[in-house]
Amino acid sequence: MSNQIPKPRLGYYRALLSYADPDLERIIEAFTYWSSFVEYLVFRRENIHTFEKDYKMAKAAKRGNDVYSAKLRKRLNHLYNLPQIEFFDYKDRSRVHKTRAIFVTLTYRRDLRLDEAWEQIGSDFNRWKSAVTKAFGKVDIIRCWEAQADGYPHIHCVIVFRDSEFETFFYNGKWRISKKRELEKYWGWGFSDMFAMYSLGAGVGYVMKYVTKVNDSLLVEKRNHKDVLSLALLWIFRKRAFSVSKDFGLFLIEVKEDRPYGQVDLEGKSIYKWYLVGFWADLNGKYDSWGVKLSYNEFWRIRSSDYFTFNKALFSD
């Protein structure tokens, strides 16, 4: 009988969070264990003309590991190349300025259970966004979720208003907006804080700081407990770490060439087909690479391993 990898069951740990004073250290321990053991996707490549086969493995991107972090940074890279749009001179405190961009933090009261807050955070945020849009016109948003020290979620986001501007004033070290109460009344689940952004780049950078520090929390030498907890709870509740409005700018449009990647035949068609054979856990840390080319014998040894799981979709036809 094959040994099964003792993977944490998300439903079990999600249920633990429905109790008063849940054991958050147990949640972190389960997540860290899951993220730390390396899993590979095992592929078979076939030549459509000669039917020759070869085999490769690719390290799986798992929330918290180096592959996931690299993919995330690549996906976010375009946000750092936004045009330098300035709404006002933040050094000039002698007069009232106007801005189209604000940074918002939204929190939850503790009259909800921790698991309830995480389960409904997406729908609550969407309702708040809809109310704001109805009142002030179309908006573009970059947002991220993060856990507070007791595990309850809060939201950070930058909102760029297409149809509205807000007067600003400088108070207690930050630029504030005069219509804060008109915006915060739509968030009925807890406290909200808002301040004016003097430029688009500054606002985006502020949110990206939260996204990257959380997603890299297992990769740094000195781990921040709250960041690891955030990553663990995002994993437990299957939440995306961040979201960017599809209309945030033309920089989100990815242009691809209409030609196949890799070796092609005389008709311009790829000569290879790829098949995902299954998944293998490298529990002993034999391989230290994102990509591994396998010999036929290595492939069969891994395929016969107790820690190999077949891709059922490949054999469903």
Side-chain angles (χ1 to χ4, degrees):
M1 181 177 180
S2 296
N3 297 321
Q4 296 297 315
I5 303 169
K7 295 183 180 180
R9 295 184 178 274
L10 295 185
Y12 169 76
Y13 288 98
R14 194 178 296 126
L16 290 181
L17 294 170
S18 66
Y19 296 102
D21 299 321
D23 187 351
L24 297 179
E25 296 305 318
R26 192 172 178 184
I27 301 297
I28 290 176
E29 181 181 354
F31 167 70
T32 304
Y33 164 75
W34 170 82
S35 183
S36 63
F37 72 78
V38 177
E39 292 183 280
Y40 282 92
L41 288 75
V42 182
F43 295 94
R44 181 178 76 241
R45 186 178 71 167
E46 293 185 10
N47 187 305
I48 62 175
H49 299 297
T50 66
F51 303 106
E52 291 178 304
K53 301 179 179 67
D54 58 10
Y55 306 92
K56 293 185 177 181
M57 295 194 308
K59 186 177 179 180
K62 301 172 70 174
R63 201 187 296 261
N65 76 358
D66 53 351
V67 180
Y68 184 93
S69 179
K71 286 180 176 290
L72 179 66
R73 288 181 180 277
K74 184 177 181 180
R75 186 176 178 185
L76 295 176
N77 187 57
H78 62 273
L79 295 175
Y80 294 104
N81 297 319
L82 289 170
Q84 294 299 316
I85 300 174
E86 292 195 358
F87 302 110
F88 63 90
D89 181 3
Y90 72 94
K91 295 180 181 179
D92 180 8
R93 303 178 190 175
S94 63
R95 62 190 181 91
V96 174
H97 300 287
K98 289 186 177 182
T99 185
R100 290 185 177 272
I102 62 173
F103 183 85
V104 179
T105 298
L106 306 170
T107 68
Y108 276 90
R109 294 188 301 270
R110 299 315 190 252
D111 52 358
L112 280 177
R113 296 199 315 257
L114 188 149
D115 64 317
E116 291 175 331
W118 276 102
E119 290 284 5
Q120 68 186 52
I121 189 173
S123 58
D124 290 345
F125 181 74
N126 287 336
R127 280 193 288 269
W128 180 78
K129 176 186 172 183
S130 296
V132 170
T133 301
K134 185 177 180 180
F136 296 96
K138 188 174 181 179
V139 298
D140 295 338
I141 294 179
I142 302 176
R143 68 97 188 120
C144 65
W145 315 137
E146 191 178 14
Q148 295 181 290
D150 61 357
Y152 275 81
H154 62 286
I155 303 162
H156 297 298
C157 65
V158 167
I159 308 180
V160 180
F161 291 82
R162 298 283 187 94
D163 307 314
S164 299
E165 287 186 313
F166 298 87
E167 290 188 351
T168 69
F169 62 95
F170 193 79
Y171 176 74
N172 200 22
K174 293 182 179 179
W175 284 95
R176 299 286 180 174
I177 60 170
S178 58
K179 293 185 178 180
K180 177 178 183 290
R181 290 187 178 181
E182 293 183 38
L183 284 162
E184 68 183 3
K185 69 182 182 182
Y186 299 115
W187 181 255
W189 297 274
F191 172 77
S192 61
D193 191 22
M194 303 170 192
F195 58 88
M197 303 308 305
Y198 67 88
S199 75
L200 187 60
V204 171
Y206 215 78
V207 174
M208 292 303 100
K209 179 190 74 173
Y210 286 103
V211 174
T212 53
K213 77 182 183 71
V214 167
N215 282 280
D216 290 348
S217 59
L218 291 183
L219 303 177
V220 295
E221 184 176 349
K222 188 175 181 180
R223 294 179 179 178
N224 181 288
H225 183 271
K226 188 164 74 71
D227 292 340
V228 177
L229 177 60
S230 294
L231 205 56
L233 291 169
L234 288 166
W235 168 69
I236 289 287
F237 292 101
R238 298 180 181 271
K239 299 295 183 182
R240 289 183 59 186
F242 74 99
S243 176
V244 182
S245 295
K246 63 180 180 181
D247 296 327
F248 205 86
L250 294 178
F251 52 84
L252 292 178
I253 300 176
E254 182 180 3
V255 180
K256 297 183 179 180
E257 297 182 16
D258 292 324
R259 63 183 180 86
Y261 175 80
Q263 194 171 349
V264 298
D265 59 18
L266 294 177
E267 297 180 358
K269 297 179 180 178
S270 175
I271 67 172
Y272 292 109
K273 283 190 175 181
W274 289 88
Y275 301 92
L276 175 60
V277 181
F279 314 89
W280 178 67
D282 185 14
L283 297 183
N284 296 319
K286 178 178 180 180
Y287 298 99
D288 185 23
S289 175
W290 287 13
V292 180
K293 188 174 182 178
L294 300 172
S295 67
Y296 180 77
N297 289 335
E298 286 177 317
F299 168 74
W300 275 98
R301 179 180 58 78
I302 287 173
R303 186 179 182 275
S304 304
S305 166
D306 289 337
Y307 301 115
F308 181 84
T309 304
F310 282 101
N311 175 20
K312 295 180 181 179
L314 185 63
F315 305 97
S316 61
D317 294 335

